[in-house]
Amino acid sequence: MATFTKLTDEQQPVISVNPNHKIAKIEDNTYGGFTEHMGRCIYGGLYDPGSPLSDENDYRKDVIEAFQELKCPVVRYPGGNFIATYHWQDGIGPREKRPKKQELAWHGIETNEFGTDEFLRWCEVVGTEPYLALNFGTGTLDEAMASPEHLKNATAPRSAERAIEITASLIDLARIENKIPNNIPRQKICFDEWNVWDPVRAPGWLGAEEKYTLSDALAVAVWLNVFIRQAKYIGMATIAQSVNVISPLMTTKNGLLKQPTWWPLLLFSKHMRGQTIGVNVQCGEYEGQTKPEWIRGTIETPWLDVSASINDEGIVSLVVVNIHETKSFATKLEGVSGKVDVFTVAGPSIDAVNTEEKEEVGIAESSWDGQGLYEFPQASMTMLRWKP
């Protein structure tokens, strides 16, 4: 949880961290993945027959290694819109007997060469849990038995945060009205299909292969800050999608391209574990147009978007996303002590991208002695880690 005190842009920003104020456990499933039969997510992504980069099962080894590096705990399959006309029985048994069908969500031909059997085997290889979404559109109840529920909501990180708070209140109201005993654990929210996607820039019917920028990476970092701040309510979140389609990872014939959005996701998954802790932010606020417009009247939009956690070893991690495009903020940090490890995601411009030839956005590692003010660069994500 983070509280916000609005200052003018000319006043001294202050961030106060309280490691003793432990609020809620950060669920491992916050860092879930998402796969769908869309574009090159499955064919050419997870599964790439004939590629020298694939293993004996035709699974891309570099993709498997990336999922393992991310410590991805759960992966959803097979979508997405694709589910509405998909029958999981089509993707099991001998491949030569599986039906080829017109796929109605993204207007392709589904060969069913990769199906439920292959996905479950892939999960075993990766070391992750399968999260199977079932067809409630053209499927039957018997077919859909044991399907987990999911929440699909919101279009932007801060509007999503407000949606999470509202949904949590509705859960509380339902528990009260139905006289649910306090000894029954409170239901948590599954936030499926979160990410940055511009359908004009990357149309779904063309495979939705986004070319992400530093700006998109900062948006992903704010999304993740939201989930950490709202850890009390979040039980699972899955980024849509995990390979090639609106994804931080892009396969090529030569290897794996890690887009700018990969780096905040990696830092959070590695280090923002344990429990979320209290933090107060005092700084100026973005007061321009928002999308959706109703954000302006319902939730704050500080220049410095912040979350903090403490892990089982007592190491505090503080993430600060400076969303200002042109201004750095020299900030007083309260509650920080000793040697501080610093990880910064930034680039030469807000439009910086990564290509096979050149990586413009990545992680820069440094250290800080914890003395004086810390300057958060314009358009950047910074993670500070220390042990009190």
Side-chain angles (χ1 to χ4, degrees), residues 213-215 217-218 260 325 344-354 359-364 377-381:
T213 66
L214 172 60
S215 176
L218 300 184
E325 187 174 347
T344 305
V345 177
S349 74
I350 203 73
D351 298 318
V353 299
N354 290 346
E359 184 177 274
E360 292 190 326
V361 180
I363 299 173
Q378 64 192 46
S380 68
M381 169 196 150

Side-chain angles (χ1 to χ4, degrees), residues 216-348:
D216 299 320
L218 300 184
V220 164
V222 174
W223 269 107
L224 291 163
N225 269 347
V226 167
F227 297 142
I228 299 303
R229 288 195 293 262
Q230 300 297 331
K232 179 179 179 181
Y233 306 124
I234 294 294
M236 181 188 293
T238 57
I239 185 170
Q241 295 179 21
S242 292
V243 188
N244 288 333
V245 177
I246 50 174
S247 171
L249 297 172
M250 300 294 292
T251 60
T252 72
K253 65 179 182 180
N254 300 316
L256 193 64
L257 171 64
K258 294 177 178 177
Q259 298 219 68
T261 54
W262 165 260
W263 302 110
L265 185 62
L266 179 65
L267 284 173
F268 270 83
S269 183
K270 276 189 170 183
H271 301 306
M272 297 299 278
R273 304 275 184 166
Q275 296 190 67
T276 185
I277 58 177
V279 57
N280 175 258
V281 184
Q282 302 176 50
C283 67
E285 182 179 14
Y286 169 69
E287 296 181 336
Q289 187 176 5
T290 60
K291 186 177 181 180
E293 293 182 359
W294 58 259
I295 292 177
R296 173 60 53 235
T298 60
I299 198 165
E300 304 92 350
T301 50
W303 288 121
L304 301 178
D305 191 273
V306 176
S307 72
S309 68
I310 186 167
N311 67 14
D312 293 340
E313 289 74 44
I315 297 174
V316 175
S317 296
L318 171 69
V319 173
V320 180
V321 184
N322 180 359
I323 65 172
H324 203 297
E325 187 174 347
T326 60
K327 185 175 182 178
S328 299
F329 291 98
T331 304
K332 180 181 180 182
L333 298 180
E334 298 177 341
V336 180
S337 59
K339 179 179 177 293
V340 181
D341 294 325
V342 181
F343 305 86
T344 305
V345 177

Side-chain angles (χ1 to χ4, degrees), residues 198-221:
D198 182 347
V200 175
R201 184 173 63 183
W205 61 277
L206 290 178
E209 295 200 9
E210 279 275 17
K211 192 172 186 178
Y212 284 123
T213 66
L214 172 60
S215 176
D216 299 320
L218 300 184
V220 164

Side-chain angles (χ1 to χ4, degrees), residues 65 87 124 179 219 240 266 301 375:
E65 290 167 0
H87 300 278
E124 289 181 5
K179 297 181 173 60
L266 179 65
T301 50
E375 184 163 330

Side-chain angles (χ1 to χ4, degrees), residues 27-144:
E27 298 291 347
D28 289 343
N29 284 347
T30 300
Y31 303 110
F34 184 108
T35 56
E36 180 172 3
H37 285 255
M38 176 183 179
R40 293 194 308 122
C41 183
I42 301 298
Y43 302 110
L46 302 190
Y47 179 74
D48 199 1
S51 170
L53 301 177
S54 296
D55 65 10
E56 66 277 8
N57 296 307
D58 293 322
Y59 303 151
R60 282 285 293 246
K61 291 183 287 187
D62 48 4
V63 172
I64 289 170
E65 290 167 0
F67 271 81
Q68 291 172 337
E69 182 183 14
L70 201 61
K71 299 179 181 178
C72 188
V74 61
V75 179
R76 175 171 159 169
Y77 174 85
N81 290 353
F82 176 81
I83 299 170
T85 58
Y86 179 70
H87 300 278
W88 65 268
Q89 297 96 328
D90 293 341
I92 61 174
R95 285 176 175 162
E96 64 273 12
K97 294 184 179 181
R98 297 181 189 178
K100 294 183 180 180
K101 291 185 175 181
Q102 176 72 44
E103 188 275 301
L104 300 181
W106 306 111
H107 308 294
I109 299 297
E110 176 52 54
T111 67
N112 286 302
E113 183 178 347
F114 185 102
T116 309
D117 283 350
E118 287 72 30
F119 177 70
L120 294 177
R121 191 176 302 117
W122 180 86
C123 287
E124 289 181 5
V125 173
V126 172
T128 189
E129 289 294 320
Y131 165 15
L132 296 176
L134 276 296
N135 178 355
F136 282 92
T138 60
T140 66
L141 180 60
D142 287 341
E143 181 181 345

